[in-house]
Amino acid sequence: SPVQRLYVTRQLLTVPVACALAAAGVAAWLSRRPLLPGLGRLIHIDANGQLIAQVALARQLWEIPVLYGMRTYVTGHLLLYRVALVALCLLPAIGRLGTYHAIYFLGVAEAPSVVLPVVAIFGPSFFGHLRETRPALEVVFSFSWPVFVTLFLVLRVILWSVMAFEFIQDLMTSSVMLSTPVYGAVLSALTVSTCLNVQTLADLNDSGFRKPPTKPRIAVADPAVAAAADSGA
């Protein structure tokens, strides 16, 4: 269907952007210098973090209307996650505050998105049947699924929660610098995105972290792939 084609096209178009954001994020994260907690980390202007936030903001502003047009294939919490990411992008991209944390949230944490298109496109909801006749696709998929789950668990749940707690601490100690709406928006975005990541992990856990089957169940997308596709990756 046209919506399916749009979904697949969207997944393929996001790969180079996700690769660039993840690579830039990892490089900037490994080369960052220690900063004082609180105001020190919040007001520090990292050029890499700001650029990452600007690219991520442009991506989210493009993705939200596209995903809305595919709302029969995505759940509402994916759109909510994108809105939360926009709120996270605005402060470092425009206000140049929080660029230190943007490196992780908008860069490093994009790594699962590099693998997600393989999981989503060749899952049972779309072209999973091709894995039956093309052994190479089955090999690629069998490798991609555990890699995606591992990256998501480590980067989007465990480390994301740690970094969110650190960012919230920095915001609380420096709240005098921020207007109440900005402060509330960033705190809400951190809380919502963290909760949705945990919810996605729970959905993946319900599927037993198993590799999704080739064929879909009766007119219903496999919950494992649905959880992966809704991961916000």
Side-chain angles (χ1 to χ4, degrees):
S1 70
V3 176
Q4 284 180 313
R5 289 195 292 271
L6 177 60
Y7 185 89
V8 172
T9 302
R10 173 248 170 189
Q11 290 286 358
L12 294 176
L13 288 175
T14 59
V15 170
V17 180
C19 287
L21 288 172
V26 170
W29 187 253
L30 294 176
S31 63
R32 74 193 190 287
R33 60 187 180 85
L35 297 170
L36 291 174
L39 193 59
R41 285 195 294 239
L42 188 65
I43 66 173
H44 172 73
I45 299 176
D46 188 295
N48 293 318
Q50 185 177 16
L51 179 60
I52 288 171
Q54 290 168 343
V55 173
L57 177 60
R59 176 191 171 185
Q60 302 311 325
L61 293 177
W62 173 78
E63 288 238 42
I64 289 174
V66 172
L67 288 171
Y68 183 77
M70 302 185 301
R71 55 192 179 278
T72 54
Y73 281 90
V74 299
T75 60
H77 91 245
L78 178 56
L79 285 169
L80 180 59
Y81 184 83
R82 294 297 176 186
V83 172
L85 286 183
V86 168
L88 282 180
C89 291
L90 286 173
L91 193 63
I94 300 175
R96 301 202 300 175
L97 292 173
T99 56
Y100 173 88
H101 297 286
I103 292 172
Y104 181 81
F105 290 114
L106 307 173
V108 178
E110 278 297 310
S113 300
V114 177
V115 188
L116 176 60
V118 176
V119 173
I121 292 173
F122 296 109
S125 301
F126 294 98
F127 301 108
H129 61 281
L130 296 178
R131 287 158 35 209
E132 293 182 331
T133 57
R134 293 170 173 80
L137 282 180
E138 179 63 30
V139 172
V140 172
F141 188 89
S142 298
F143 173 77
S144 301
W145 177 251
V147 169
F148 169 77
V149 172
T150 302
L151 286 174
F152 191 88
L153 173 64
V154 174
L155 298 179
R156 291 284 185 90
V157 177
I158 299 174
L159 292 180
W160 183 289
S161 300
V162 173
M163 291 300 299
F165 181 73
E166 179 184 279
F167 196 7
I168 289 172
Q169 283 186 313
D170 290 347
L171 286 169
M172 292 179 69
T173 57
S174 312
S175 58
V176 68
M177 288 190 59
L178 304 174
S179 64
T180 301
V182 172
Y183 181 69
V186 177
L187 284 180
S188 299
L190 285 169
T191 303
V192 168
S193 58
T194 303
C195 291
L196 290 178
N197 283 334
V198 173
Q199 177 60 49
T200 299
L201 181 69
D203 293 340
L204 291 171
N205 186 49
D206 287 342
S207 71
F209 294 105
R210 58 176 169 75
K211 185 183 72 173
T214 300
K215 296 181 179 179
R217 298 174 183 177
I218 302 174
V220 179
D222 183 271
V225 169
D230 284 347
S231 65

